């Protein structure tokens, strides 16, 4: 089989998110190449998830062999030619479960990869509840929460019930920007976007009732819209990143501007122009440094809150 270094590197960037290089099972450390003169794909599995990537490669006849991931990376580094010729040994690669007759097929919009990329930073991958380590998909869109913050990205999906997929490392690495298809059956799912296919098991458990968490519009009595988010982002980035309490206060001033103050550095502040509507807040709005930074970077510049600070804050202006 012949393939260019760039094409192989592109595929390994995606497949490497599934390969387990420390596994004692050779299959889980390897990449499978299978196909014929009509088309070739590369596959990897960790025993639960399987990812395949269609390749622009050439073979004179049918092939089915595996090469250790580490060996492929070394071949790319040592090869002096743009084209590489690969060969390996046959391993009994498990075939993914096939969709049943009652499979549900859902069209994914072209921006699905972008939505997943925006949601991914909020996922708590270390949470003891497996369902919170994934991304929830529903007829209303994409939702993630880590227990402290919640992000809902509206997106029309023809799902009859909510499903939660594992953390999409391979999709993030693929940086897809095309329409795709989600198939759901029994406890399995498969997502196909462009030349990437991802098969795995849905995460079990009840995802938190995020619809009941989002306050109604009547719950807030004032809002702050920052006019110069880039200036605020630069200021927030100068606050030391520490895991303990690291809040940022948004103080509404008499002239309508907003003064931001670091809770860990009380003398470090920034006055910025803003539009404040509604009542004068009695409680100072305080947001975690990482949360406000993520919000602003994703375009959320308006913060709706309650003057007594008793209702969860809603940020708007971004995709969700």
């Amino acid at each position: 089989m012949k393939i260019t270094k760039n094409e192989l590197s592109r595929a390994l960037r995606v497949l490497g998110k599934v390969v387990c290089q420390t596994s004692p099972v050779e299959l889980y450390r390897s990449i499978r190449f299978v196909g014929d003169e009509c088309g070739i794909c590369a596959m990897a599995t960790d025993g639960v998830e399987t990812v395949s990537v269609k390749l622009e490669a050439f073979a004179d006849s049918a092939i089915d062999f595996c090469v250790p991931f580490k060996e492929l990376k070394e071949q790319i580094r040592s090869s002096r030619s743009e084209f590489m010729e690969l060969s390996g040994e046959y391993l009994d690669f498990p075939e993914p479960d096939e969709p049943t007759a009652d499979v549900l097929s859902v069209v994914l919009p072209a921006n699905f990869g972008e939505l997943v990329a925006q949601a991914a930073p909020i996922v708590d991958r270390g949470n003891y509840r497996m369902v919170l380590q994934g991304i929830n998909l529903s007829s209303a869109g994409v939702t993630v929460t880590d227990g402290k913050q919640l992000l809902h990205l509206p997106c029309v999906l023809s799902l009859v019930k909510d499903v939660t997929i594992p953390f999409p490392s391979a999709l993030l690495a693929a940086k897809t920007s095309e329409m795709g298809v989600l198939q759901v059956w029994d406890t399995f799912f498969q997502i196909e976007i462009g030349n990437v296919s991802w098969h795995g098991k849905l995460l079990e458990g009840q995802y938190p009732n995020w619809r009941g968490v989002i306050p109604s519009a009547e719950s807030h009595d004032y809002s702050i819209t920052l006019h110069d988010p880039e200036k605020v982002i630069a200021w927030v980035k100068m606050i030391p990143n520490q895991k303990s309490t690291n809040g940022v206060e948004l103080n509404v001033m008499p002239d309508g501007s907003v003064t931001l103050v670091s809770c860990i550095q009380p003398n470090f502040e920034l006055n910025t122009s803003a539009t404040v509507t509604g009542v004068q807040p009695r409680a100072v709005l305080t947001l975690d440094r990482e949360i406000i930074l993520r919000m602003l970077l994703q375009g959320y510049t308006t913060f709706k809150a309650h003057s007594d600070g008793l209702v969860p804050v809603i940020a708007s202006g971004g995709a969700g």
Side-chain angles (χ1 to χ4, degrees):
M1 186 194 91
K2 291 184 178 180
I3 187 172
T4 65
K5 288 200 298 185
N6 287 341
E7 179 70 1
L8 182 58
S9 295
R10 180 185 61 81
L12 294 185
R13 185 175 65 247
V14 177
L15 298 173
K17 299 300 182 179
V18 184
V19 170
C20 183
Q21 298 187 57
T22 59
S23 173
V25 181
E26 183 180 9
L27 179 65
Y28 301 160
R29 304 194 307 266
S30 302
I31 303 296
R32 181 194 188 193
F33 297 92
V34 60
D36 52 32
E37 59 272 13
C38 296
I40 299 173
C41 72
M43 306 174 67
T45 184
D46 61 2
V48 179
E49 299 178 26
T50 300
V51 175
S52 66
V53 178
K54 295 178 182 177
L55 302 174
E56 292 185 10
F58 313 95
D60 297 329
S61 58
I63 61 169
D64 189 350
F65 62 86
C66 293
V67 183
F69 180 85
K70 186 176 181 180
E71 183 178 318
L72 289 170
K73 296 287 286 185
E74 182 59 36
Q75 288 188 40
I76 292 175
R77 282 192 292 266
S78 61
S79 176
R80 296 183 179 181
S81 172
E82 178 58 28
F83 279 90
M84 301 173 59
E85 187 141 3
L86 301 180
S87 61
E89 62 175 331
Y90 174 81
L91 294 177
D92 189 12
F93 198 95
E95 296 296 334
D97 295 85
E98 292 293 328
T100 56
D102 59 348
V103 61
L104 174 65
S105 295
V106 177
V107 175
L108 299 175
N111 69 334
F112 182 76
E114 180 183 346
L115 296 177
V116 168
Q118 290 185 40
I122 296 179
V123 176
D124 183 3
R125 301 182 68 182
N127 197 289
Y128 72 96
R129 295 177 59 190
M130 286 296 296
V131 72
L132 290 182
Q133 296 183 28
I135 293 179
N136 185 259
L137 306 179
S138 67
S139 58
V142 177
T143 308
V144 288
T145 181
D146 62 2
K148 296 179 293 184
Q149 55 186 321
L150 183 148
L151 174 63
H152 173 65
L153 300 167
C155 170
V156 178
L157 301 174
S158 54
L159 286 166
V160 294
K161 65 176 183 178
D162 294 11
V163 297
T164 305
I165 59 174
F167 190 81
S169 299
L171 286 186
L172 295 174
K175 298 180 180 180
T176 59
S177 59
E178 306 166 75
M179 293 182 66
V181 176
L182 163 67
Q183 291 184 305
V184 178
W185 71 98
D186 296 335
T187 59
F188 300 98
F189 75 92
Q190 180 169 297
I191 292 178
E192 293 189 20
I193 305 179
N195 66 337
V196 177
S197 176
W198 176 33
H199 177 285
K201 294 192 69 174
L202 297 169
L203 297 184
E204 298 180 357
Q206 184 69 36
Y207 202 79
N209 180 21
W210 58 269
R211 294 174 178 85
V213 173
I214 299 177
S216 62
E218 296 76 21
S219 301
H220 300 115
D221 55 12
Y222 81 99
S223 68
I224 298 173
T225 300
L226 301 176
H227 293 167
D228 195 352
E230 292 184 357
K231 179 181 178 181
V232 177
I233 289 172
W235 178 83
V236 172
K237 286 183 175 180
M238 289 189 287
I239 300 174
N241 184 13
Q242 60 183 42
K243 293 184 179 180
S244 59
T245 303
N246 196 359
V248 174
E249 295 181 354
L250 283 77
N251 297 272
V252 176
M253 309 306 289
D255 62 357
S257 65
V258 170
T259 297
L260 293 89
V261 180
S262 168
C263 291
I264 64 171
Q265 295 178 319
N267 294 325
F268 185 57
E269 59 182 49
L270 171 72
N271 184 265
T272 185
S273 61
T275 296
V276 180
T277 60
V279 305
Q280 181 71 19
R282 291 178 288 274
V284 177
L285 175 59
T286 304
L287 298 173
D288 181 81
R289 173 192 181 276
E290 290 303 303
I291 292 177
I292 189 173
L293 182 60
R294 185 179 297 118
M295 288 176 173
L296 293 172
L297 287 172
Q298 294 188 4
Y300 296 88
T301 57
T302 296
F303 306 97
K304 300 176 182 178
H306 189 273
S307 55
D308 288 328
L310 303 176
V311 180
V313 177
I314 287 185
S316 60

